[in-house]
Amino acid sequence: MTSDRKLWTALLLTVGGAFLLLGFFGQEVYRQAPPIPGRVVTDTGRVLSDRDTILDGQQVWQGIGGQQVGSIWGHGAYQAPDWSADWLHRESVALLALWSEAQYGAPFAELTVEQRGGLEARLRDELRTNTYDLETDTVTVSEDRARAMEVAGAHYTALFGGDPALDDLREDYALHDDALTDPERLRALNAFFSWTAWACITERPGETYTYTNNWPHDPLLGNEPTGANLLWSVVSVLLLLGAIGTITWVHASRKADEEDPPVPARDPLTAFTPTPSMRALGKFVAVVILLFGVQVMLGALTAHYTVEGDSFYGLPIADWIPYAVSRTWHLQTAVFWIATAFLATGLFFAPLIGGKEPRFQRLGVNVLFGALLLVVGGSLAGEWLSIRGAFGDLDTQFWFGHQGYEYVDLGRAWQIALFVGLVLWLVLMLRAIMPALRSSERPRGLLALFTGSVAAIGLLYGSGFMFGARSHLSVAEYWRWWVVHLWVEGFFEVFATGVLAFLFSRLGLVTLRSATRAFIASTTIFLLGGIPGTFHHLYFSGTPVSITAIGATFSALEVVPLVLIGKEAWDTLRLQRRASWMQRYRWPIRFFLGVAFWNLVGAGLFGFLINPPIALYYMQGLNTTPVHGHAALFGVYGLLSLGLVLLISRRLCADRPWNETLLGYSFWAMNIGLALMILLSLLPVGLAQTWASVEHGLWYARSADFLQTPILQTLRWLRMVGDTVFLSGVATLAWFMLGLKTGWSYATDDARVGTPAGAGATTGS
């Protein structure tokens, strides 16, 4: 018992201390964000832009898709350029050309090495000097620089405004024609892009590095990795190695685990007849599979746009579903179906935990289902309307259209509706498990931690309301990662761990005490790195060096639990073999084993590939990020969600034996397809871009000149191989799940697949 108390103390101190770090240094994000000047003027007094224009431009950018159309400060889509890096390089080239003609009467490329060197030194001095005056709230630039900014702005006006001369470039960028037609909105967009570039090259007061810590890499401008970047990269690697050694030593030196309990003679879950609310979850399962199918088809379309920017094998589908829409929907439907699977799992197990069905629980489940359909349909329609320019007012498009930020793209009104749905889910969960919490006969440790994870899922999504349409970009990124990293990647995983701990203890495969101790220990280790590790997404988002230090230090620890992933997988497989009746759960367990593999590969190897500051300095905004994203989001959370859905389906089908041939094919096709997608296309493209970023700068790694080279085009076409295999697995899974309703997915009497010989089918459910 003393040991359990120590575990609880460690968990509470970890969570409290981690959130304290996240909040304290979050203040620094606010305090040291790059200033948005009240005015930008030339040294002759000519006004170029002001704060309102810059923020209007931010809203214009949000409305056309925001981070689904290129990226800003490395966050966003990977097809079009990073606009901050691209603007900065175009402005620099224009300024060098202007000076070269004025001083030498010749193009810059024709100058001698000494002449070019002199102008490049002048360029760095001109751009890196901070001319922001706090008292007057004004940035002052030279007339020459203002003219260079106008050259860059003219390019963007033509690009986004539909100039026919740039049709080919728009196709390369997968940018829909006439994305903007209002001259005022084009001017505002230019002001916003110019400000984001200004933050990338302007040195912080009293420092020799920029507001974005010298990101993006551009040797021409003196943007090179800082000393702090290198230092905290080394520290993160040393901490990782030390922590891995420590946890391995502790694991090897501890006493052997307690003996497994006697295996029940029959499945304990068959004694619990599915309640009306549990049966009502069948339609949630159907929505999960439907949205999963839609999501992967949108992913295939989005990937195809990287080689045919405005069509699909010649079909002008981009006229209706442009890249910005397909990518928005691809990410949003992923969040929707994974979240739906987790919510359904909670509602399915809540009556099991509480021991009975609360009154009106089925009604609550049905109301929640209606709210889910409203949010999904309304948000996807609003995003399409926003990107197509249907909203005349910038505030209206933010509320009902597109917020512009990855994973929280849905309009604010739909976001509020989703939060209300999560609160309803939380209420339904609490009222169902409350009898168990009140019972003095039931051990409360596992229940308490599980309830905490339920509350976190229900409430933590509200952190997405902490920024608005005109919030500072650095601040918006800080809170966005609360949603993406803490809500999706953090407490959903804690919740899933709790569900599995409860399930295995309820099945009698592990003792309740060992399940509770494992749940507390794994949650402590995971959240120790996971909560403050949120900052590793913000190294170059206009944040101070302290954010790099905290992010690099703690996010390295996120990899530590994964070193024992092999034992976790073995333990799970061992549980499957302990009882003959466990065979009916073998495919959900196989999916959980797949989660263990991709946790190591996707979250561990590919995650740490881009985690140290020095690595991310060169790789942020390149295809190395979707390597980690696909392997972790589907490989971990996707497979986990599907495993949970299969578990629910297994119980709703009573004990009718399944014909599992289709499930087997689906499992292997999705896993092999994901591996091929990464190894044949995403990873080689990302590594090629990394080389280009190191050698020439990020602007070149993201440019059409580089990405449209024959070898890069071939690598992108090769993704079709993995996509095809993956899609076949998804289609097979959908066919199998449909067969559970129609009957063709059940085994015949002479082919009772998945049921042990002689076991027969019980009728307890």
Side-chain angles (χ1 to χ4, degrees):
M1 192 61 68
T2 301
S3 177
D4 288 354
R5 188 176 296 113
K6 289 181 179 179
L7 285 174
W8 277 107
T9 301
L11 174 62
L12 294 175
L13 289 176
T14 294
V15 174
F19 271 110
L20 185 64
L21 278 174
L22 192 63
F24 177 81
F25 286 97
Q27 294 181 85
E28 294 300 292
V29 174
Y30 278 82
R31 194 173 67 84
Q32 299 195 46
I36 303 176
R39 295 191 312 158
V40 179
V41 302
T42 67
D43 49 16
T44 62
R46 183 162 61 96
V47 178
L48 302 178
S49 65
D50 55 30
R51 181 180 292 111
D52 285 340
T53 305
I54 293 170
L55 292 177
D56 285 346
Q58 180 172 299
Q59 287 192 262
V60 170
W61 165 74
Q62 292 166 352
I64 63 173
Q67 291 178 337
Q68 308 296 355
V69 183
S71 60
I72 296 289
W73 295 347
H75 294 292
Y78 311 101
Q79 178 66 6
D82 180 272
W83 305 116
S84 43
D86 189 70
W87 177 290
L88 181 59
H89 194 78
R90 289 182 184 278
E91 179 185 326
S92 303
V93 169
L95 190 52
L96 286 175
L98 179 67
W99 284 341
S100 178
E101 290 291 345
Q103 189 168 339
Y104 299 107
F108 179 77
E110 297 179 5
L111 301 184
T112 64
V113 173
E114 292 80 5
Q115 290 170 334
R116 290 200 302 271
L119 290 183
E120 288 172 358
R122 181 183 172 188
L123 176 72
R124 288 190 288 272
D125 183 64
E126 172 92 9
L127 298 187
R128 298 184 71 87
T129 300
N130 194 333
T131 61
Y132 175 68
D133 187 292
L134 182 61
E135 291 186 2
T136 62
D137 195 19
T138 300
V139 167
T140 303
V141 301
S142 68
E143 280 289 346
D144 284 347
R145 184 175 182 182
R147 290 171 60 190
M149 292 163 64
E150 289 165 359
V151 171
H155 169 77
Y156 283 101
T157 297
L159 180 67
F160 286 91
D163 187 338
L166 296 183
D167 281 347
D168 289 343
L169 188 59
R170 271 190 296 276
E171 181 180 350
D172 292 341
Y173 291 167
L175 179 65
H176 48 294
D177 291 336
D178 299 332
L180 290 169
T181 56
D182 183 348
E184 285 302 310
R185 292 196 175 190
L186 285 166
R187 187 174 75 86
L189 183 67
N190 283 338
F192 173 64
F193 285 165
S194 179
W195 171 77
T196 64
W198 176 85
C200 289
I201 197 57
T202 302
E203 294 180 352
R204 288 183 177 272
E207 305 292 352
T208 58
Y209 53 85
T210 72
Y211 284 107
T212 56
N213 296 316
N214 278 4
W215 188 94
H217 180 231
D218 194 332
L220 175 66
L221 305 174
N223 263 9
E224 302 283 355
T226 64
N229 184 298
L230 292 168
L231 171 65
W232 291 110
S233 297
V234 172
V235 169
S236 71
V237 173
L238 291 176
L239 279 173
L240 173 63
L241 295 176
I244 288 176
T246 300
I247 197 172
T248 304
W249 177 79
V250 169
H251 181 76
S253 62
R254 72 180 184 181
K255 294 181 180 180
D257 293 331
E258 58 185 277
E259 293 184 2
D260 293 323
V263 180
R266 57 178 293 176
D267 183 355
L269 293 184
T270 60
F272 194 95
T273 302
T275 66
S277 72
M278 295 165 73
R279 293 192 179 281
L281 293 169
K283 50 184 171 289
F284 281 73
V285 172
V287 166
V288 167
I289 300 301
L290 177 62
L291 287 178
F292 178 38
V294 171
Q295 188 243 335
V296 296
M297 287 189 289
L298 287 166
L301 176 62
T302 302
H304 192 82
Y305 280 147
T306 66
V307 290
E308 282 189 276
D310 58 359
S311 61
F312 184 76
Y313 293 104
L315 298 175
I317 195 170
D319 292 345
W320 293 97
I321 308 177
Y323 176 89
V325 171
S326 69
R327 192 173 189 273
T328 297
W329 286 354
H330 176 59
L331 294 182
Q332 281 301 125
T333 51
V335 172
F336 285 144
W337 75 261
I338 290 173
T340 300
F342 275 78
L343 300 185
T345 300
L347 292 171
F348 188 85
F349 281 97
L352 276 172
I353 295 172
K356 64 179 181 179
E357 171 101 332
R359 292 184 63 191
F360 306 117
Q361 185 79 350
R362 182 175 181 273
L363 174 62
V365 168
N366 288 332
V367 170
L368 181 61
F369 182 74
L372 170 67
L373 296 183
L374 176 66
V375 170
V376 172
S379 64
L380 297 183
E383 288 154 356
W384 184 85
L385 290 170
S386 180
I387 292 171
R388 302 301 298 178
F391 294 107
D393 180 70
L394 293 177
D395 290 332
T396 302
Q397 78 179 12
F398 179 82
W399 275 89
F400 298 99
H402 206 302
Q403 286 196 47
Y405 297 102
E406 280 186 304
Y407 297 101
V408 285
D409 305 84
L410 71 173
R412 179 55 54 88
W414 307 114
Q415 187 182 18
I416 292 173
L418 178 56
F419 182 69
V420 171
L422 290 170
V423 172
L424 172 59
W425 175 80
L426 175 59
V427 171
L428 294 172
M429 289 291 297
L430 291 178
R431 65 197 298 267
I433 63 179
M434 192 59 67
L437 288 170
R438 289 173 176 167
S439 173
S440 59
E441 300 177 358
R442 306 281 286 275
R444 298 181 181 178
L446 181 60
L447 286 173
L449 189 51
F450 177 74
T451 303
S453 69
V454 168
I457 289 175
L459 300 176
L460 198 60
Y461 184 74
S463 56
F465 301 134
M466 300 301 292
F467 65 90
R470 298 173 78 84
S471 293
H472 193 290
L473 187 60
S474 299
V475 171
E477 283 292 275
Y478 170 69
W479 289 111
R480 179 174 76 92
W481 286 109
W482 272 63
V483 176
V484 179
H485 187 86
L486 288 180
W487 185 65
V488 177
E489 298 181 34
F491 285 94
F492 266 104
E493 183 159 334
V494 174
F495 171 79
T497 304
V499 168
L500 295 180
F502 168 79
L503 174 66
F504 289 143
S505 63
R506 186 63 183 261
L507 290 173
L509 301 175
V510 296
T511 65
L512 183 61
R513 184 168 185 266
S514 65
T516 302
R517 288 167 57 84
F519 187 17
I520 298 172
S522 62
T523 300
T524 301
I525 296 172
F526 176 73
L527 294 182
L528 174 64
I531 295 175
T534 304
F535 283 135
H536 83 265
H537 299 285
L538 302 175
Y539 294 153
F540 313 115
S541 296
T543 56
V545 171
S546 58
I547 298 301
T548 301
I550 297 297
T553 300
F554 283 91
S555 63
L557 301 179
E558 292 183 73
V559 184
V560 173
L562 304 180
V563 300
L564 300 177
I565 206 74
K567 183 181 184 304
E568 177 186 326
W570 170 254
D571 288 344
T572 304
L573 187 61
R574 180 177 58 85
L575 292 176
Q576 176 188 325
R577 295 170 176 170
R578 292 196 63 216
S580 59
W581 51 261
M582 276 293 291
Q583 289 301 307
R584 64 173 61 98
Y585 300 116
R586 65 175 180 172
W587 278 108
I589 289 177
R590 292 279 176 88
F591 276 78
F592 299 151
L593 288 173
V595 171
F597 172 80
W598 287 108
N599 232 335
L600 177 62
V601 175
L605 297 179
F606 292 144
F608 196 73
L609 171 67
I610 59 175
N611 188 75
I614 188 61
L616 196 58
Y617 178 81
Y618 292 108
M619 293 181 179
Q620 178 147 302
L622 305 183
N623 275 273
T624 46
T625 301
V627 167
H628 164 60
H630 283 78
L633 187 59
F634 176 76
V636 178
Y637 296 98
L639 286 178
L640 179 57
S641 299
L642 295 177
L644 293 173
V645 163
L646 287 173
L647 190 62
I648 293 173
S649 301
R650 177 68 274 178
R651 295 311 317 144
L652 291 180
C653 293
D655 289 313
R656 294 184 64 185
W658 289 355
N659 184 338
E660 297 173 340
T661 304
L662 293 178
L663 267 184
Y665 175 82
S666 173
F667 174 81
W668 289 111
M670 287 190 291
N671 280 278
I672 293 172
L674 177 60
L676 291 174
M677 187 189 309
I678 291 170
L679 296 176
L680 293 180
S681 183
L682 287 173
L683 185 59
V685 171
L687 294 177
Q689 284 185 294
T690 301
W691 171 85
S693 177
V694 172
E695 290 291 317
H696 304 286
L698 181 98
W699 67 271
Y700 179 68
R702 289 284 298 274
S703 68
D705 289 341
F706 179 71
L707 288 175
Q708 299 302 321
T709 55
I711 187 170
L712 267 295
Q713 284 286 70
T714 299
L715 289 173
R716 288 153 117 184
W717 273 108
L718 282 174
R719 176 165 171 178
M720 182 175 63
V721 177
D723 283 356
T724 302
V725 175
F726 188 89
L727 283 167
S728 71
V730 176
T732 304
L733 176 64
W735 185 253
F736 172 82
M737 297 300 289
L738 181 61
L740 294 180
K741 183 69 175 176
T742 61
W744 61 62
S745 292
Y746 296 104
T748 58
D749 290 338
D750 57 349
R752 299 173 69 85
V753 180
T755 301
T762 66
T763 58
S765 300

